[in-house]
Amino acid sequence: MDFLTLFGIYVVAVLTCIALVCKYSGHQRTPLGRLFDTFTGVVSQLIPQCLQNICYRTMHRLFHQRSNIFLYLHLLLEVVVYGEFSYEVFGFCLDMGTSSISLCIPYVLLALKSYLFYQCCSRDPGTLTKANHTTQLKVYQYDEKLFQQGVRCSTCQLVKPARSKHCRVCNRCVQRFDHHCVWVNNCIGAQNIRYFLLYLLSVCVMAGDIAVLTADMLLQTVLRTGLLHAHYIDEQGVRQPAGPLFIIQHLFLTFPRIVFMLGFLVFVFFLLAGYSMFHMYLSLINQTANEWFKGKGHNCQHCHPYTGHNCQTSYNPFRGFYHRGILKNFGEIFWPLCPVQKKEN
């Protein structure tokens, strides 16, 4: 099996994983989610019904029920990446003159990420209970679009505070509900959104740092071995200069595990960079992912509860109902709002 075939299989596997996550994480309206729906609609006609039922139950178990499978997968991928980095890349980088401080940064990021990951998994996202329900009703105003006053949760039998939502995976109502993340096996809400945002950024930086060190090691290998000026004899016996494809194939055959790890890290970096930017944007405009996906084209963006102005003819489409200014919006992520206590005369 040649390099291009292996690379093609790798790309197909990565795109399949992304499509599955988009389909079953509740974000079906993404382009990959719609593409996956079209693909499964065609393929399902060729698959026996019994196999379709097995696939459906498996996907439902993975994405719509609480499970530690993705926690274990997360840890496994982490062990594989850091194992390969420590076993091969670390030594090669030392031999090529990379500073010890640069090589220690990934381990510092790993410790930071592990702490944030633990907080995301273990910290309560803001579960609504009978004890705190009355106070939570006073935190946010109802926009009467996405959140109507007096609506009762049919499962918890509690009146829903504004911006809350019942998570069918965790079977609880969560304050300022953002989404349920299968990778941390927990809901993301008012009390742990700050850890989730920092967790995303830490994984992104960690993947980018290891990818840069690995790419630098491979580049130094190419420069020191003179591959840029090398030649080879093709099938017709003609002497050809070594082009980019030849160099990539050579690196793939010489360092197969390192090249695959680099490809995986680049994929993770760009995927999480985009996802992190999306959540940073939501933080700056004071919206949740739940409100973003439910409210596109539904809520009146220019009705503003804090200024007292409603239904203006000109408005900023990037400001939602709960927008309080960029600094206050961002501060709300790290210091969740508390009920306003009225002063007694």
Side-chain angles (χ1 to χ4, degrees), residues 133-151:
H133 174 254
T134 303
T135 58
Q136 289 303 319
L137 286 173
K138 304 174 184 177
V139 176
Y140 293 107
Q141 297 183 27
Y142 292 91
D143 63 354
E144 299 301 338
K145 297 292 183 179
L146 293 178
F147 308 104
Q148 290 83 25
Q149 192 170 4
V151 176

Side-chain angles (χ1 to χ4, degrees), residues 44 68 107 146 149 208 216 264 275 340 344:
S44 61
N68 291 325
Y107 299 100
L146 293 178
Q149 192 170 4
D216 180 67
F264 172 74
Y275 195 54
V340 177
E344 297 182 1

Side-chain angles (χ1 to χ4, degrees), residues 40-290:
T40 52
V42 175
V43 175
S44 61
Q45 302 177 6
L46 308 175
I47 301 177
Q49 188 63 41
C50 60
L51 292 180
Q52 292 186 38
N53 294 335
I54 293 174
C55 292
Y56 173 79
R57 287 195 296 268
T58 301
M59 294 303 171
H60 182 79
R61 178 73 178 87
L62 289 176
F63 294 97
H64 293 298
Q65 293 182 8
R66 295 202 72 176
S67 172
N68 291 325
I69 294 177
F70 282 95
L71 293 181
Y72 300 143
L73 178 60
H74 176 280
L75 295 176
L76 176 62
L77 292 174
E78 200 168 80
V79 168
V80 170
V81 169
Y82 269 87
E84 179 61 25
F85 176 78
S86 303
Y87 179 70
E88 287 193 288
V89 179
F90 191 92
F92 283 126
C93 289
L94 280 179
D95 294 339
M96 295 179 180
T98 305
S99 67
S100 300
I101 296 178
S102 299
L103 293 174
C104 289
I105 291 178
Y107 299 100
V108 175
L109 293 173
L110 175 63
L112 175 62
K113 192 260 353 160
S114 299
Y115 168 75
L116 296 170
F117 179 70
Y118 173 76
Q119 292 293 333
C120 288
C121 296
S122 61
R123 185 170 287 265
D124 182 80
T127 304
L128 286 171
T129 62
K130 292 182 179 179
N132 65 11
H133 174 254
T134 303
T135 58
Q136 289 303 319
L137 286 173
K138 304 174 184 177
V139 176
Y140 293 107
Q141 297 183 27
Y142 292 91
D143 63 354
E144 299 301 338
K145 297 292 183 179
L146 293 178
F147 308 104
Q148 290 83 25
Q149 192 170 4
V151 176
R152 185 177 296 271
C153 175
S154 59
T155 304
C156 300
Q157 294 302 313
L158 296 173
V159 176
K160 291 183 177 181
R163 312 192 78 179
S164 67
K165 185 179 185 297
H166 184 88
C167 177
R168 60 183 177 180
V169 180
C170 297
N171 194 29
R172 59 184 173 183
C173 284
V174 178
Q175 310 163 16
R176 200 182 184 276
F177 179 85
D178 192 89
H179 70 289
H180 180 89
C181 180
V182 296
W183 291 103
V184 300
N185 195 26
N186 198 6
C187 290
I188 305 301
Q191 302 302 323
N192 66 350
I193 182 65
R194 56 188 180 277
Y195 296 108
F196 180 73
L197 186 60
L198 293 174
Y199 163 71
L200 285 179
L201 295 174
S202 65
V203 176
C204 187
V205 173
M206 189 172 68
D209 185 54
I210 299 178
V212 169
L213 291 171
T214 304
D216 180 67
M217 184 273 289
L218 294 175
L219 178 61
Q220 292 297 326
T221 301
V222 171
L223 295 177
R224 295 190 180 195
T225 55
L227 279 176
L228 292 177
H229 307 289
H231 293 78
Y232 68 97
I233 305 299
D234 62 13
E235 297 177 353
Q236 287 75 31
V238 180
R239 190 167 181 265
Q240 299 285 353
L245 183 60
F246 177 86
I247 294 176
I248 293 175
Q249 289 181 357
H250 175 78
L251 292 174
F252 178 79
L253 296 174
T254 308
F255 309 104
R257 293 190 300 271
I258 294 178
V259 172
F260 268 106
M261 182 189 76
L262 178 60
F264 172 74
L265 290 173
V266 171
F267 156 69
V268 169
F269 173 79
F270 282 106
L271 179 65
L272 290 184
Y275 195 54
S276 300
M277 291 176 62
F278 171 67
H279 273 279
M280 286 290 292
Y281 165 73
L282 291 181
S283 300
L284 294 177
I285 65 172
N286 205 341
Q287 277 192 340
T288 64
N290 175 57

